[in-house]
Amino acid sequence: MIITKTPFRISFCGGGSDIAEFYRQHGGCVLSTTINRYMYLTIHPYFDETKSALRYSKIEIVDDIDKIQHSIFHQVLRDMGISGVEISSTADVPSGTGLGSSSSFTVGLLHTLYCYQGKYMSKGRLAHEACQVEIEKLGNPIGKQDQYAAAYGGMNFIEFNRDDSVTVSPLIMQSDTKEALEENLMMFYTGITHDANSILAEQRKNISQADKTQNLIEMCQLARCMKVSLENNELSDFGKIMNEGWKKKRELAHGVSNPRIDELYECAMEHGAAGGKLLGAGGGGFLLFYCEKYKQKRLEEALGLKRFHFRFEHDGTSVVYIGNKYW
C-alpha cells in the first residue's frame, strides 16, 4: 500500500489572473500558501486483478477503465494505463469550499500513481501534468494556481507567464513575521457550497471586457505589493491589500459574491477585521480575514460562524507511507 497526502491552499491576492485568456496577454501572479488540511489517497493491488475499485464519495468497481464515471480518475488512469488497483480518497475538507480540493486531488492522484509505478516526478512536473488533465483534457474553466500550490507547498509568489510557463518563488520573511501573520488570520465556514466551474466560466468569458481586464491587472499589482510588504516583514498593510483585492475580485463575475456573503463581510469589517476575502472562485465556502489577535474574540462572536483553525504547511504533496511490495 502507498499513501500520499496533498495540502489544500488559501490564496491571499491575485486569484483569477491564472486563467490563460488573461495571463497570455498580461502575465498573472498570485500570492498563496498551503495549509495543514489535506487530500489523502491510498493505492494497492485489488484482490480481483481484472477489476479496479475506486472509493471516494461514491464507490465504483469496474472491469474496464472506460466505465469509470469520476472524470479525473477516468482520465488519469486511462492516460497512465493502470488498472487492477484499489484507490481510496478522503479529505479533511469537502469539495466546493474554495480551498482548491479538486486540484489537490489531481496532483495527489498523479503523485500516487507515479509512486505506484516506481517513478519519481518533480513537483513542477506533477503540477504541469495536473493542469494538462484539468484544463486541457477535461476542459474545466479553471486556472493554474491550485495545482502549483498543492504540488510545491509553502507560501509562494506564483507567476503565470505569457509563454505558459510558471515561476514559483517561496516568500522569504522572518519567522516572527510569519508567526504573526498566521496568528492574525481567521477562517470561517459560511455553510454554503458552490459550483466553482460555473463562476469561473463566467469570469473567463468576462475577461474580454476592458473593466474586468483592468481589475485583474490591478489585482496583480496588489499581489506584488503584498509580496514586497511581507518580504520587508511589514504586516500593517496586509489587511488593507486583501480588502482592496476582494473589492476588485467580486466585480469579475456575478456569482463571486451574494447578499449573505456581503452581509458577513461587512459584519467582520465592523467588528475588527482589517480586510478579508472569500476563498476560491466565490459564491460560498470559507471567508478569510486578517484580524489582530486582541480583536478576534469580538469578531468571532459577531459573525456567529464556525471558525476553522489551521496552520501554514510547507511540504506540498508527499508520500507518507510505502508498504512492502507483494505483487
Side-chain angles (χ1 to χ4, degrees), residues 47 153 185 198 222 270 294:
F47 179 77
L185 290 172
S198 63
L222 288 170
E270 291 171 2
Y294 73 96

Side-chain angles (χ1 to χ4, degrees), residues 243-263:
N243 184 51
E244 290 301 312
W246 168 241
K247 289 178 181 178
K248 297 183 184 304
K249 178 179 177 177
R250 67 190 302 278
E251 296 175 358
L252 295 177
H254 292 299
V256 172
S257 191
N258 57 53
R260 176 57 175 160
I261 298 300
D262 290 343
E263 177 186 5

Side-chain angles (χ1 to χ4, degrees), residues 96 190 192-204 206 212 246 248-262 278-285:
T190 64
I192 308 168
T193 56
H194 67 284
D195 179 5
N197 282 356
S198 63
I199 298 170
L200 287 167
E202 182 188 349
Q203 181 179 319
R204 189 175 180 178
N206 291 346
K212 311 301 184 190
W246 168 241
K248 297 183 184 304
K249 178 179 177 177
R250 67 190 302 278
E251 296 175 358
L252 295 177
H254 292 299
V256 172
S257 191
N258 57 53
R260 176 57 175 160
I261 298 300
D262 290 343
L278 192 68
L279 294 171

Side-chain angles (χ1 to χ4, degrees), residues 8 39 91-99 101 189 193 286 308:
F8 295 142
M39 174 71 66
D92 290 330
V93 182
S95 60
T97 53
L99 299 184
S101 59
Y189 183 50
T193 56
F286 286 95
F308 183 79

Side-chain angles (χ1 to χ4, degrees), residues 46 48 50-75 77 83-89 105 109:
Y46 192 48
D48 183 348
T50 67
K51 297 179 180 180
S52 296
L54 310 172
R55 304 180 187 276
Y56 49 106
S57 58
K58 300 179 181 179
I59 298 175
E60 295 190 57
I61 300 175
V62 299
D63 57 10
D64 185 340
I65 295 300
D66 284 330
K67 294 179 181 179
I68 296 173
Q69 296 179 9
H70 189 288
S71 61
I72 299 174
F73 268 132
H74 175 260
Q75 186 69 54
L77 287 171
S83 60
V85 294
E86 179 173 3
I87 306 175
S88 300
S89 73
F105 174 84
L109 179 61

Side-chain angles (χ1 to χ4, degrees), residues 151-192:
Y152 278 86
M155 188 177 298
N156 298 298
F157 186 71
I158 308 175
E159 296 172 275
F160 311 100
N161 305 311
R162 291 177 175 86
D163 62 359
D164 282 319
S165 64
V166 178
T167 305
V168 180
S169 304
L171 257 69
I172 307 300
M173 68 183 84
Q174 294 176 1
S175 59
D176 57 347
T177 303
K178 182 173 283 191
E179 289 172 9
L181 176 61
E182 192 175 56
E183 287 182 352
N184 290 343
L185 290 172
M186 305 178 74
M187 277 177 64
F188 297 92
Y189 183 50
T190 64
I192 308 168

Side-chain angles (χ1 to χ4, degrees), residues 237-303:
D237 290 335
F238 191 89
K240 179 180 178 181
I241 295 173
M242 281 185 70
N243 184 51
E244 290 301 312
W246 168 241
K247 289 178 181 178
K248 297 183 184 304
K249 178 179 177 177
R250 67 190 302 278
E251 296 175 358
L252 295 177
H254 292 299
V256 172
S257 191
N258 57 53
R260 176 57 175 160
I261 298 300
D262 290 343
E263 177 186 5
L264 290 168
Y265 190 89
E266 290 305 316
C267 177
M269 293 296 286
E270 291 171 2
H271 290 85
K277 60 172 294 188
L278 192 68
L279 294 171
F286 286 95
L287 279 162
L288 176 70
F289 295 106
Y290 183 86
C291 180
E292 293 181 354
K293 200 164 184 180
Y294 73 96
K295 300 178 182 178
Q296 291 183 2
K297 183 177 180 181
R298 179 182 172 217
L299 189 155
E300 189 168 355
E301 290 175 349
L303 280 182

